[in-house]
Amino acid sequence: MKNLACALSLVLSSVCTAHAESTDKPISVLKWFNGCAHLSQPENGMTMDTNCVSTAVEYCTIGRVEEDRVQCLVELSEHVGGIWKEIESNLPESIGGSGWVARNYERKYLRLVQEEFDVCDASPREEIPSDTWCKMYLNAGGWVEWRHLQRLADEVAK
C-alpha cells in the first residue's frame, strides 16, 4: 500500500491547478470514470486504474466553479468507495490452488482486510476542504488495491 500511496499522492498532487470558470456543462465524471475503469486490463491494471482516478479528479477540478468542484469530488469519492466495498464483499478469503497467484492473493487479501485506509498524506489543495481531499485519496487507494486483488482472483478462475 505504501508504493500505491506514494504513486497516488504524486498523481493527485500533480492535478492541474488551472481552473477555467465555464458555463458549459462539464462531462459526466462518473460515466467517464466507469468507462475508463472498464478499459483496464490485467497487464496494465494498477497503472490504468491510477490514471483513471487521477484524470477523473482533474475533470472534477478543472472547468467547474468551486462549489461544483467539491460536489464532484464528493460524488466521485463516494462512487469509488462504493465500488471498492462491493469488490471487497464479493471476494473470497481464499481462491484455492497452491500456485504463486493463489498464495499472493491470500497474502494480499489478509493485508487489505487488516489494513486501515485512514492515513492521508496527499497534498491538500487550497480550494478543496482537506477532509474531502483525503476521503478521495483514501477511497482511490482502496479501490485500486481491491481491483488488483479482484484481477488476481479472475486470473485463477480462468
Side-chain angles (χ1 to χ4, degrees), residues 43 61 69 90-92 94 148 151:
E43 308 80 43
T61 58
R69 288 180 208 138
N90 289 318
L91 289 179
S94 175
H148 175 69
R151 284 188 192 92

Side-chain angles (χ1 to χ4, degrees), residues 85-104:
K85 294 301 181 185
E86 183 179 333
I87 292 169
E88 180 180 0
S89 69
N90 289 318
L91 289 179
E93 289 181 38
S94 175
I95 54 176
S98 60
W100 178 85
V101 173
R103 288 189 307 275
N104 189 34

Side-chain angles (χ1 to χ4, degrees), residues 34-104:
N34 290 338
C36 183
H38 182 71
L39 294 174
S40 67
Q41 302 294 314
E43 308 80 43
N44 67 3
M46 289 186 87
T47 301
M48 184 73 172
D49 288 347
T50 301
N51 289 338
C52 289
V53 168
S54 65
T55 303
V57 169
E58 278 190 56
Y59 288 152
C60 279
T61 58
I62 295 173
R64 296 173 192 268
V65 294
E66 188 170 341
E67 310 82 55
D68 291 345
R69 288 180 208 138
V70 172
Q71 183 60 35
C72 182
L73 284 172
V74 166
E75 289 172 5
L76 178 61
S77 177
E78 289 172 355
H79 182 69
V80 170
I83 295 170
W84 156 20
K85 294 301 181 185
E86 183 179 333
I87 292 169
E88 180 180 0
S89 69
N90 289 318
L91 289 179
E93 289 181 38
S94 175
I95 54 176
S98 60
W100 178 85
V101 173
R103 288 189 307 275
N104 189 34

